[in-house]
Amino acid sequence: MCGRYFIANPETDKEIRKICDELNFRYRANRSISVKTGEIYPTDQAPVLIPEKSTPTAVLMNWGFPRTPRKGVIINARSETAGDKPMFRGCLTSRRSLIPVSGFFEWSHENGKTVDKFLLRSEDSPVLMLAGLYSIFKRDDNSRFAAFVILTADANESVRHLHDRMPLVVPDHNRTPWLTDERFARALLLTPCRQVLIGQKA
């Protein structure tokens, strides 16, 4: 499960700064658009990487596929079954994405009650790339917008004490193949997530 995540201040992280600079240039004609950092919530607009001419390129999308006809959004998709679900099947074929994060949040529980909030990060890398899917949706006024979901996998030992699911982290050397090679991407969905994460109380 991934219900909130974190993007560090671009002034303190070079990779986040590069992504934010790319987005600010891309959307420079629209002053109403800004890149949010800090804690990212469902329905927020956030940075996403998609392939443009086989190169990972930053764009802004809303987090969460709209539920129809019900209210709310779907923010996660199970990596094991995404290819079987009508909502995600086409996305897996041609609309894969990467979501850059500095970490994600999870909560500990005792006796069925929420106790502490933890920020899970990597000791080795300031930025994690989470596997995602995206699609295009239509608003009531017929305008279109792009939205993404985060793919989740069985939690590994570094996360399992907090939750049985975790975002599927794409290793650095697999970023471009995940975006551009469908066969590789389908295999990655079934590969256990080996990224070791460290939790700190938030």
Side-chain angles (χ1 to χ4, degrees), residues 53-119:
K53 297 181 180 179
S54 298
T55 300
T57 303
V59 297
L60 290 173
M61 294 187 187
N62 296 342
W63 184 14
F65 284 13
R67 294 178 181 270
T68 53
R70 295 179 293 171
K71 295 182 179 180
V73 294
I74 297 169
I75 60 173
N76 296 147
R78 295 177 70 93
S79 60
E80 306 92 331
T81 60
D84 301 325
K85 304 291 184 181
M87 176 174 284
F88 306 124
R89 190 181 301 134
C91 304
L92 181 56
T93 299
S94 59
R95 294 187 296 275
R96 297 179 301 279
S97 62
L98 291 166
I99 298 91
V101 309
S102 304
F104 62 93
F105 294 101
E106 198 52 79
W107 287 258
S108 64
H109 298 83
E110 290 182 9
N111 300 320
K113 295 183 179 180
T114 301
V115 179
D116 292 310
K117 179 181 179 182
F118 288 85
L119 176 60

Side-chain angles (χ1 to χ4, degrees), residues 9-198:
N9 187 327
E11 299 302 320
T12 62
D13 187 282
K14 291 181 180 180
E15 190 165 6
I16 294 295
R17 182 167 67 245
K18 180 181 178 182
I19 291 169
C20 288
D21 287 347
E22 184 178 341
L23 289 168
N24 286 329
F25 180 78
R26 186 183 189 98
Y27 297 102
R28 64 192 181 279
N30 190 341
R31 294 185 177 181
S32 66
I33 292 178
S34 61
V35 182
K36 182 182 177 182
T37 56
E39 192 163 352
I40 308 299
Y41 292 76
T43 73
D44 281 350
Q45 193 173 64
V48 174
L49 302 185
I50 61 173
E52 287 191 353
K53 297 181 180 179
S54 298
T55 300
T57 303
V59 297
L60 290 173
M61 294 187 187
N62 296 342
W63 184 14
F65 284 13
R67 294 178 181 270
T68 53
R70 295 179 293 171
K71 295 182 179 180
V73 294
I74 297 169
I75 60 173
N76 296 147
R78 295 177 70 93
S79 60
E80 306 92 331
T81 60
D84 301 325
K85 304 291 184 181
M87 176 174 284
F88 306 124
R89 190 181 301 134
C91 304
L92 181 56
T93 299
S94 59
R95 294 187 296 275
R96 297 179 301 279
S97 62
L98 291 166
I99 298 91
V101 309
S102 304
F104 62 93
F105 294 101
E106 198 52 79
W107 287 258
S108 64
H109 298 83
E110 290 182 9
N111 300 320
K113 295 183 179 180
T114 301
V115 179
D116 292 310
K117 179 181 179 182
F118 288 85
L119 176 60
L120 291 148
R121 307 180 75 163
S122 168
E123 280 192 329
D124 303 324
S125 175
V127 176
L128 299 171
M129 290 290 177
L130 309 184
L133 304 173
Y134 73 95
S135 193
I136 307 300
F137 299 91
K138 186 182 291 187
R139 298 186 180 91
D140 292 339
D141 63 1
N142 287 326
S143 63
R144 296 178 180 273
F145 68 99
F148 69 93
V149 295
I150 294 172
L151 287 158
T152 66
D154 285 336
N156 60 33
E157 290 185 4
S158 67
V159 178
R160 198 173 296 132
H161 64 289
L162 292 173
H163 203 283
D164 62 354
R165 304 288 296 177
M166 66 180 290
L168 180 60
V169 180
V170 179
D172 292 355
H173 60 282
N174 288 339
R175 292 179 182 181
T176 298
W178 161 256
L179 292 175
T180 60
D181 186 334
E182 182 185 352
R183 180 178 294 180
F184 175 89
R186 289 183 180 274
L188 186 65
L189 290 181
L190 303 179
T191 303
C193 186
R194 296 184 174 89
Q195 177 69 56
V196 176
L197 301 169
I198 304 299

